[in-house]
Amino acid sequence: DWAENWKKSFKPLRLGKHMVIKPGWAECEILEGDKVIEIDPGMAFGTGTHETTRLVIKLLEKYVKNGVRVADVGCGSGILAICASKLGAGECKAYDIDPVAVKVANENIKDSGLTNVTCEVSDLLRQVDKSEPYDVICANIVADIIIRMMPDVDAFMNESSVILASGIIIERSQDVISAFEAHGF
């Protein structure tokens, strides 16, 4: 039963300075100042074990300040939006094109008891309201999708916004850099 057997390898994980990612069924040591994220990824990507997820979580610790608005594009399990909320973000919006991922993310958000995080279906940022810019935008997806997002992303940013793009294999890094540069980043 693969749907249950994979859980044996998903263990609590300490990331960054104070982030602890753990499955809801596991116990772990919690230290003073830790921010615990309980995740059940179900059929969605995002347990914190992948290097690109770890990298973005470390960067969230650096860039998320109290009250900032955060968008997680291609959110999978919702792990990055949940982490941003636990780090003090005022409002977090998560988006994914996959309705199953959105369902899983909403369950994780609910189980985390967070009221400032929402998740909706959107093809990148195409169905997202542009009226209020985000301070931090995360996109931990793949190079082609990040490149496809480039023409639209600046409409969701202000002068001091930061975009955290990850999930890019080294062979595609220059393509992504070129796309960012072509759009004024």
Side-chain angles (χ1 to χ4, degrees):
D1 184 13
W2 70 268
E4 291 298 317
N5 283 333
W6 71 269
K7 291 180 177 181
K8 294 175 187 169
S9 64
F10 183 23
K11 308 271 188 237
L13 179 65
R14 184 169 295 280
L15 302 174
K17 294 177 184 171
H18 296 287
M19 301 304 294
V20 176
I21 312 299
K22 71 179 224 51
W25 58 87
E27 296 297 322
C28 70
E29 180 183 11
I30 306 301
L31 304 175
E32 184 177 340
D34 281 350
K35 296 169 185 348
V36 179
I37 314 296
E38 286 195 7
I39 291 290
D40 181 352
M43 298 291 287
F45 182 82
T47 61
T49 58
H50 196 272
E51 291 82 0
T52 62
T53 308
R54 291 177 186 193
L55 173 64
V56 176
I57 290 170
K58 287 178 184 178
L59 290 170
L60 286 172
E61 284 186 323
K62 179 178 179 178
Y63 289 106
V64 171
K65 309 294 182 219
N66 286 335
V68 300
R69 294 186 79 235
V70 176
D72 178 6
V73 183
C75 68
S77 69
I79 189 171
L80 297 177
I82 293 168
C83 284
S85 174
K86 295 275 188 167
L87 289 166
E91 180 181 20
C92 300
K93 302 275 188 171
Y95 304 101
D96 205 293
I97 194 169
D98 180 3
V100 173
V102 170
K103 179 180 182 292
V104 169
N106 278 317
E107 289 169 3
N108 286 323
I109 292 163
K110 181 182 174 202
D111 291 347
S112 296
L114 301 172
T115 58
N116 66 331
V117 183
T118 58
C119 184
E120 300 171 3
V121 173
S122 181
D123 181 3
L124 297 175
L125 294 167
R126 294 214 166 96
Q127 289 79 32
V128 178
D129 178 15
K130 294 180 181 143
S131 64
E132 292 185 58
Y134 292 97
D135 301 295
V136 178
I137 298 175
C138 308
N140 184 26
I141 35 187
V142 296
D144 286 334
I145 306 302
I146 292 169
I147 291 168
R148 190 164 67 86
M149 182 178 72
M150 279 299 94
D152 302 320
V153 74
D154 65 331
F156 298 92
M157 300 176 77
N158 58 47
E159 289 181 15
S160 61
S161 295
V162 174
I163 183 164
L164 308 176
S166 189
I168 306 155
I169 60 172
I170 195 73
E171 293 83 8
R172 297 298 313 280
S173 62
Q174 190 55 54
D175 297 336
V176 175
I177 291 168
S178 296
F180 270 95
E181 290 173 342
H183 290 91
F185 291 94

